[in-house]
Amino acid sequence: MRIVHQVISGDIAGGQLVALELARGARDAGHDVLVVTPASGPLIELARGDEIDVSTVPLRRSFRLDD
């Protein structure tokens, strides 16, 4: 199974660490895992150090309340 974890930044914070732990578990269970982040940061180095694929994609909100 291919699993993608999308995080809101490349920084290290609670949600990013949870996503990284989930990615590690999925990888260890034999799944193909990708972490998608909108910008580079320390999270990318952690993921790559664990041999987890990372892709940087400029993500934006899909809606805006102020438009």
Side-chain angles (χ1 to χ4, degrees):
M1 179 183 303
R2 180 94 170 143
I3 300 172
V4 176
H5 293 278
Q6 178 182 338
V7 295
I8 61 172
S9 80
D11 295 325
I12 298 174
Q16 287 85 341
L17 291 175
V18 169
L20 186 57
E21 283 298 314
L22 290 169
R24 288 175 181 146
R27 181 213 48 214
D28 292 347
H31 301 290
D32 292 325
V33 179
L34 173 67
V35 173
V36 175
T37 151
S40 62
L43 179 70
I44 291 175
E45 298 306 317
L46 281 177
R48 288 187 177 150
D50 286 340
E51 298 181 2
I52 295 172
D53 291 333
V54 179
S55 182
T56 303
V57 178
L59 304 169
R60 298 186 59 165
R61 290 188 291 178
S62 60
F63 64 91
R64 290 189 56 144
L65 298 176
D66 61 344
D67 280 347

